[in-house]
Each structure stands twice: as C-alpha cells, then as structure tokens.
Amino acid sequence: QVQLVESGGGLVKPGGSLRLSCAASGFTFSDYYMGWIRQAPGKGLEWVSYISISGDTIYYADSVKGRFTNSRDNAKNSLYLQMNSLRAEDTAVYFCARGIISVGLDYWGQGALVTVSS
Amino acid sequence: DIQMTQSPSSVSASVGDRVAITCRASQYISTYLAWYQQKPGKAPKLLIYAASSLQSGVPSRFSGSGSGTDFTLTISSLQSEDFATYYCQQVNSFPATFGGGSKVEIK
C-alpha cells in the first residue's frame, strides 16, 4: 500500500534552518510528481511546492520562494524540503503528497510539525 | 495566481441532510478542480478530481459538478462520518491554490 512518512520536524528559532524528509513506499516513486503542502495551526491548507518526476521542474509558493528548496532522490524513494531563514509564520504541519498532473494529490503523509519560535 | 473562494465557510447540518459547498475560481480553470475532506488531526483525503470524477473508494453520496469558474461539492445524504472540513484546489496551474475550507458541523 502507498505510504508517505515525513520526518525532521521540530522547534527552530527564527532565522534558523530545518530539513524535512518524506520516505515513500508502496508505489514507483519515480513515476509521480510530489508536492509539499502546509497547514498553520487552526488554519486552512496552503500549497508550498511541487517537483516534477525527474526533479528538473520545481514551483514554489511566493511565501517560501528563495528560502525553501524542494528536492528528490528517486534512488532512495525520498522527497526533501530544505527550509532556511525560517519565520514565525512558517509554523505549520507540513504534509508531503503524491501528485498526478491536472488531477490532484491522491496520497498524503501524516504530516510533520514545524514550530518557529524563540 | 488563481484565487479560490469557498462558501459557506461553515454549515450546520443533520444526518440525512443534503449539503452543497461551492467553490469559485478567480479565472477560468476548465474542470481542473479537486475536492478534499479533512478530519481533525488527519491528512486530507482526495474525494473528487477533474471536478466530477469520484476517487476510488469514495462513497457515491459525494458528487462534484461545475466547470469554468464555478464548482459544487454535494453530499446527498450526510452521514456521521462526513462531519469534517472540505477544501477545493485548482490544479490548472501553479501555484495550485486551495480554497479556504468549508466546515460541516453537526446541527
């Protein structure tokens, strides 16, 4: 069965960095684009980033552009989100999800909580 | 960027009621729209894609309609397990924006 498991969340000070990982299993990882979506406490869903199958096309939300880097390692069935210059407003649960172009996100991980606070 | 506006933001309903949630895109997106259900503390679940196609395993009481800029998610007969928050997402272009959510609560 399809499984996505995020890790790497935690508490970080403003201006700090954190790297999230998403381990995929149960499907051919290199056949799907992948996305990151976040949800601030008590708020709605915010699309963060998308990465193509080969990793050569990546899009970011304006709110994270220049600070976050999305990447993937198809040999390791893993997705990553490097988050730099973190701000309080980046505090959220971060989900990784499997995507199908023009369809949506059909499988989601359980989420990883990132808290940015001094 | 395409803005997605959902209404209502919350609705109170009883088991057996018919519930409709609307989603409006700020520009034309054809049928590139998905609907998700999220329960507290859980990841979202894909319900509908391509505006009206039911994702595998989703009960047939859920249906989607619309094209262009106006879309509707309908639950024909609300069940206890349907009390949740529902989100639309446009997948026409990036950023693939979400609507603000519609919470279906018990009356």
Side-chain angles (χ1 to χ4, degrees):
Chain A
Q1 72 282 21
V2 173
Q3 273 201 309
L4 297 168
V5 180
E6 300 93 339
S7 60
L11 175 63
V12 61
K13 288 181 167 53
S17 298
L18 210 56
R19 189 197 199 202
L20 300 181
S21 299
C22 172
S25 60
F27 66 102
T28 304
F29 182 70
S30 56
D31 283 349
Y32 291 87
Y33 87 82
M34 298 295 295
W36 288 100
I37 304 92
R38 68 184 181 182
Q39 187 169 37
K43 302 296 185 182
L45 301 172
E46 180 186 11
W47 180 88
V48 173
S49 180
Y50 141 94
I51 186 166
S52 63
I53 289 170
S54 62
D56 60 352
T57 300
I58 306 173
Y59 292 100
Y60 297 97
D62 286 345
S63 57
V64 307
K65 202 174 295 183
R67 301 186 299 123
F68 289 13
T69 301
N70 190 359
S71 63
R72 65 191 295 163
D73 185 335
N74 287 341
K76 294 184 177 180
N77 293 335
S78 292
L79 178 71
Y80 307 101
L81 187 67
Q82 177 67 42
M83 303 183 291
N84 298 332
S85 303
L86 282 161
R87 307 165 180 167
E89 54 265 35
D90 295 319
T91 294
V93 173
Y94 285 74
F95 297 99
C96 68
R98 189 180 86 166
I100 301 174
I101 286 289
S102 301
V103 168
L105 300 157
D106 64 346
Y107 285 93
W108 297 59
Q110 84 287 352
L113 176 62
V114 172
T115 303
V116 184
S117 175
S118 54
Chain B
D1 296 358
I2 299 174
Q3 310 303 317
M4 305 301 292
T5 303
Q6 283 184 238
S7 62
S9 56
S10 67
V11 56
S12 294
S14 301
V15 171
D17 284 354
R18 181 183 182 90
V19 172
I21 297 166
T22 64
C23 180
R24 174 165 288 176
S26 62
Q27 55 187 271
Y28 179 82
I29 59 168
S30 184
T31 56
Y32 295 115
L33 185 100
W35 288 98
Y36 302 87
Q37 175 194 66
Q38 187 182 32
K39 296 182 179 179
K42 300 293 187 182
K45 171 188 173 183
L46 178 65
L47 298 177
I48 301 280
Y49 63 92
S52 61
S53 296
L54 201 64
Q55 175 70 348
S56 176
V58 174
S60 58
R61 62 181 180 273
F62 290 93
S63 64
S65 63
S67 67
T69 60
D70 293 312
F71 304 87
T72 302
L73 172 71
T74 302
I75 310 172
S76 60
S77 179
L78 200 64
Q79 301 301 299
S80 57
E81 60 266 32
D82 302 335
F83 292 97
T85 301
Y86 295 84
Y87 295 91
C88 62
Q89 181 198 24
Q90 65 82 15
V91 292
N92 178 75
S93 62
F94 292 104
T97 40
F98 289 91
S102 296
K103 187 173 184 179
V104 178
E105 300 175 297
I106 301 172
K107 184 183 258 184

